[in-house]
Each structure stands twice: as C-alpha cells, then as structure tokens.
Amino acid sequence: MAELTPMMLQYKSIKEHHPNEVLFFRLGDFYEMFGEDALEVSRLLNLTLTHRANQPMCGIPYHAAKIYIARLLRLGKKIAICEQTAMPQGTRTLAERKVVEVITPGTAVEEEYLEQSVHNYLAALSCSRGKAGFAFIDVSTGDFSATSWNLSDMAAEFSKEIGRCSPRELLLPLSLKEQPVVQNVLSNYSTISISYYPDWHFSQELSFKQLTQQFNTVNLRSFSLSENSPEVPPAGFLLNYLEKNYNSTLPHITGIHIYKDSDFVVIDDSSRRNLEIVSNLRDDSVQYTLLESVNYASTSMGKRLIRSWLLTPLKNKEKIDTRQNLVKDFVDNRDVLKRVRELLSSVLDIERLAGRIAMERAHAKDLQALRASLEHWIEVRQVMEPIHYITTDTEKAQKIAEIISHSIVDDPSTVLTEGRLIKDGWSKDLDHLKTIQRDFNSILDSYVEEEKAATGINNLKVRYNRISGYYIEVSKGKLDSVPSHFILKRALVNGDRYTTEKLQELEQELSSAGIKIIEEEKKLFLEIRDKLAQELSYLFQIASEVAYTDAIATFAHAAIQHNWIQPEIVESGELEIVKGRHPVVEMHLPSGEFVPNDAYFDESKYFALITGPNMAGKSTYLRQTALITLLAQVGSFVPAEKARIGIVDKIFCRVGASDNLARGESTFLVEMTETAHILRSATKNSLVIMDEVGRGTSTEDGLSIAWAVSEYILNTLQCKTLFATHYHELTRMEHPALVPLCLDVLEQEGQVIFLKKIKPGSVANSYGIHVAQLAGLPAAVIQRAQEFLKHQVSSILEPIEADFSVKTETETAAKNTEIKPVAPGLFSDEELILDEILSTDTNALTPIEALLCISRWKKTLSGE
C-alpha cells in the first residue's frame, strides 16, 4: 500500500466499501475501473485494457456511461458511481470523491436501463416460524406486492412466484445459500442477479418499523399485515435496501398489495412454461407465445398490464364479465377503438415518469413527455364518451399540463447545469437576467444616450477590450465636459478612458448573468418538479387508467384482428368450446389453414382420453383448450365459434419431456415430479392437461403409471382433464365420466394424411414409422423398421377391470357403478413367456442356453 499513489489509495479506500459492485471511479471526463473490476469489465464489454500504477485499468467516457451501465445491468452486474464532489482550490491535493449512487439490475429507474414492456422487479425471500415470505417491488413504477406460503411447499411455491414476477434481482438471507430446495429452484433461473445478506437484515421488528415509517402508519392492518406476518421481513428489507442505494426516501411507495393463490387462477411454473404463456420453450423469448398473440398494446403501461393479467387470470365472474363487456363496447364502436389506439400510441410511460419525479430523477424532457401524454389522455377521454367506465376528472391533468407548458421550454436540456430549461415569462428575475445577456448592446446604447444627454458629450462612446473590459472613451476636446462621477481608467494621447459605477454594475451583471441564469433555472425547475410531486397519487391513478384502457382496447383489437368471440362465463363445471382454435398456432399459419375442434365437459363427462398418431395435433388440441379457458378468465374474447367456460381455480399442463442435468434429474423423474404435483394440488374445479404420461420409462412401467394416474383422476379428483396417450391399451378402460377421443387420420394409396380433426373413439396405430420417414430417416432404416413391425407380435391385453366404484351426478348416493376388478398384473406370465419365445432367435442359442431358458419358463409357469 505504501507504494500506491494518493489517488490509488483513495480508490482502494472507496472500493473496500463496495466489494460486490463495479466501481465507476470518476477521473476528469472518464469513469475508470482498476484491478479485478477492470479485468472483468474489459472482458464483458470488449474494452481496451491498460495499466496505471501497476494496476489493470480500463475506462469509458462519462457522457456515454449510460450505454455501458445498461449493458452491465443486463449481465447482472451492480455498479457504484463514484463522483468528484469537490475540486481542490489552488493546491495540488486530491479531489474529493464519494459514491453517490449504486445501480443494480433491480433498482434501475433510468429509461435507458429498463425494458419498457416488462416490470423491473427487485425481490426478496425470507423464512421463519414454518413460513416463507416473498416480496417484490418495481421501484420505477411503485408496484409493491408480497405473499407467503408454508415451508413444506417451498419448491413448488417459490418456483411459481419466481416464474410469475421474473425478478431481475433477488435478495436472500445467508442461511438459504446452502438450502437445497431453494438452490434447486434457482438453478433454473441463471439470469437473476442473486445477493446474500446476514439473516439479521431480515429482522421482523426492524422490517415492521421500516414499513410503518414508509407508509406513515402506526400498524399495518390496513394492508392485511400484522407484526408477525411472514411477508414483513422481506418487504421491509427491500425498502431498506432501496433507501441505502438511492441515499433518499421513496415517497411514491405508499402501500403494499398482499395476495394469496385464492385471489386468481393458479398456474404453476411448469404449466406456465408448457403453455408458453409469456415465453416460449425454445429460447424464452416472447415469440410464438400467447402474449404475442394478444399484446397489441399502444403503451408500455398497457403491455405490462396485459402480461400481468395473463399470469393471474380471474376467478370472480363479475370482474371477468366487466372486462369482457368493456371489450365488447370497443368491438361494437370500432371508430372509437381506432381513434383511441391512435391517441394512446402518443402517450408515454406516465407511470415511470411519475416514479422518476417522486425520486427526484426526472429531467425537463421527462416533464415535457408527461405534459404531452396528459394532453393526449384528455383527448382519449373525450373520444371515449360512448364508453363509460372511468370516473377520474381530467381538470387536474389539464392544470398539470398547463403548468409544464407555461414553464418548461419546448426542447429543454436534460442536464440541470446547462440552462435552457425555463420559458420566458415564467419568472421576472430570470427574464431580467436573460435580457441582460441577450440584449446587452441595447442596454449599453440606452445608457450611452443617457450620458450624452446629461454631459452634452455627443461623441461619447462605450467600447470593450479583454484587458480593460467595458469603458467610456472621451476625446481630448471634450475632457472639460467630463462629469465628476466618471472614474478615470487610463489616459491616452487622443483621449481618456473612463468608467462609472453604473457601467461597472452593468458589466458585473453581464459577466455573472450566464452563471445566474443557470442557477436560477435550476432553482425554478426544482420548484416545478416538487410541485408536480405533490400530485403523485393522481398521476399514478391516471397511469393506471391509461394502462387499463390500453389493455381493454388491445383485447378488442385482437378480437377483431383474429375473429374471436365473447365467451359465456358460468360458475358450473361445464366447458363447451365449438370450433375452438389455438391462438398462437393459428396466428402463424396462412389464413384458413388451421383446423378448428370442439371440446365439451360437464359434471358427468369430465375425462377425455385422447389417442392419435404423432403429428396428428394432440398437443395442439390440449393446449388450445387450456389457452381458451385462460383467455376467457383473463377477460378477453377467445378463438372459437362459440364458448361456454366454467370458471376453473387452477390450470395444470404436463406436456413435453426434458431433463435437469444440473440437479441430477432425469427426464422421467421430472415428468413424475410434475405429475405428482398435479395429483396432490388439483381440485374438482381445476383444468388438467396431461400429454404422454409414463413415456419416459419402459412400456410396462409407463402403461401401469398412466393407467393408475387416469384412475386416480377419474375416481378421486374428478376434475376436467384432457389425457393424451400413445398407450392404446388405456382405451380398454371403462368409466361413466370417460370420453374416448382421437385425431382422425386418412390412409390413401399408401399415404397417411393427418386431418387434425378430433372425433369420438380411439385409434390403434401411432404411425410412428411414417413420422420418422417425414423426419428424413434413411430409407434403409425405414424399411427395416417396417419389417420389424410386420413380424412383431404384440401382447394382447386382457380386459382390465377396475377395483373401484364411481358415483355420477345422476346416480343416487347409494348406487355404485361397478367396474371389473383389476388383475394383479397388466400382463400374465403366459403372455410374457409367449412374447419371449416368439422374439428369441433359436438359431443363435447354444444347447445349454436353450435348456436354461426352458427350465426358467417351467419354473415361472409352475409358480416356483
């Protein structure tokens, strides 16, 4: 350390307090990074690496810092901004420096750092007393929510909540760093920036105090919280973390929303992924997702709200009907809809603009953006008179817009120290300073005329040079007329140079006018911004109305664009879809090519067993039924000719196959884990979609599991279920609630045509070899496969009898529907031995091997 320069010692001292952040150290016009920070940032951003004082160093221009900060934030890095707070005066001492701001992925508020259509959440989790508390906040919008669950449900609940809010940054207690369940969940979310803090940071008492101080209350009962609520520690720590990062309070955070699963339709993380609601399975982008098919929103606020709606469908019939009826109003008034969408496209992000005003981060262009947005919103309200659902008045919005319009220049600077902020006419003092700067020559001319009239010296002139400044020049012939208030500056051969107190005052005003203008404009701008900050609650209310209007208008536009209809919402267990279509698949196919299908469930027919070949459309049919149900309960129109949707409480979707090597889980284990979660969590009011259960293991095991799962759903859960399978043996199952369905196939002149049409019944051929041929397998492989298929002898499944009784709605409580008892095994010993004999190549057996086989078969058949 003794060999380091004073500047490097200063850097080291500051860096010690920010070991986990990249330190942007201000040196003149650059931010410099040293040591490990320099090595890492130069690699991440492809910057040139140099050295200073034997330390690796790289730097970026301060005026371009936001570009580089945004890139680092996307990579999950935290940045500490260290500025020069005071420059040395006349000495060679170091400039004073300190960290003025810490920017992290979850605390960014600048427009350049944020994705406009997605919330930028910072989240925290804590565990105590058998409960887990989870809270998340978007400081740029003030959106603050929390929930809790039992520790026994940690894996499923934590995964579901992380998937739902998709935080950019997560804060955890140090005790969870080695917790297997938590770490297993986090292994699926590599893009989240995760930080661990000592457990005392999540103190129940300190967090309760932090929340009451923030909300200015004596308790938290109005937010459905008590001192011991599990949501308190993570929520309180989030506020504390934000205040320390910003070195200021958060006046726009005025409350917290506590929610439970009972508030909306539950969609677990696996089902959300499988249904591809907001991200696809291929690259996690929004392409080929339900969100892409409906999100035509004109504003960032509307896009964020639609995303939130899709992840939290409603269960309340009245709320669903309200949304759908508003969508219908727009559909029926298409001229109004078109004009509203045109105007909304000019409305900027009022929610985040208000957030920056609250945090004293808004610049003059932000205020002008707010003004323009409010003016367009006022016009939207006028156009929307035929559609009545908003009650907030627009008078205050008009006043706010007028204040900004009269005070802020049309094209202002974004920097407070450059001037060019305040309009003429807003402040007399500022106007006077601007007049001095702008019209100083006219002021001088007026002063000269006054002196000429007072002294009678008609050839008196005011001149300027860099050495003397401004002076009055009097020729030799007029020196006798010089008045006493003239102060001699310099005597020359042809005349003398004078000044006066008035001229010195004017010169002083001119020289200081530029600095005073900047100071005065800054002061006036801050006053205006503080005045607007008093209307934060109103601005957030306007932002909420804009987002809601945009979301409703977007659903109406999607309904018109894709020819969707308004579904009927009922509270019974019925589900009827006539000519339903997959909203995503249809959008990406040429017009008219998608084949629609029907779906029907009621209290007595709630289990659809679907068979059909690969590529026939089973998965599409399954998913479209779930997505139509989801869209209906979000409040949207749906892709169908007619739809009658019974409200569901949960949607489960078990499709696809994938492993998790990082967690040591095979494809089959993942499949069984998801299946187990569904069987333990579904209720009679749930919608369950299961595709190819049991395919990840041997045929015998897989068939046994698929059969048992089907029985359990039919007998115990009795929920609406679409169960697709290639185990054609399942079609032998008999149950009053079971409806066999299949995808139609046309075989014509050796060709197989998938008609994509659902029909009653079942099929016995999977046409797997045909699909393999379409995939491009070599002809020799296809031919050999056909030979094997031709000579294969399939085991014949004896009629299977189910050892349970089922009661339907139409039967009395005393009457049971008998189903034959299940045999001890799906396949008899005789069938297994016969299959082995037929599949054995006798020419390849030695006499000893043949005798051993016969002996084993004999023991098996004799029961030994």
Side-chain angles (χ1 to χ4, degrees), residues 317-355:
K317 182 180 184 303
E318 184 179 349
K319 292 180 179 179
I320 297 171
D321 288 341
T322 298
R323 284 187 192 172
Q324 288 188 352
N325 290 333
L326 289 172
V327 173
K328 184 177 184 299
D329 287 342
F330 272 121
V331 171
D332 294 341
N333 294 272
R334 299 194 180 187
D335 290 339
V336 172
L337 172 63
K338 181 180 178 181
R339 183 58 181 153
V340 165
R341 284 176 52 79
E342 288 175 355
L343 291 169
L344 286 176
S345 65
S346 299
V347 176
L348 300 180
D349 202 333
I350 297 175
E351 195 172 32
R352 283 180 169 163
L353 289 171

Side-chain angles (χ1 to χ4, degrees), residues 785-805:
Q786 288 171 339
E787 291 174 0
F788 278 121
L789 181 63
K790 183 178 179 180
H791 294 93
Q792 180 182 1
V793 178
S794 300
S795 299
I796 301 174
L797 183 67
E798 295 293 336
I800 297 176
E801 301 168 339
D803 187 21
F804 59 86
S805 301

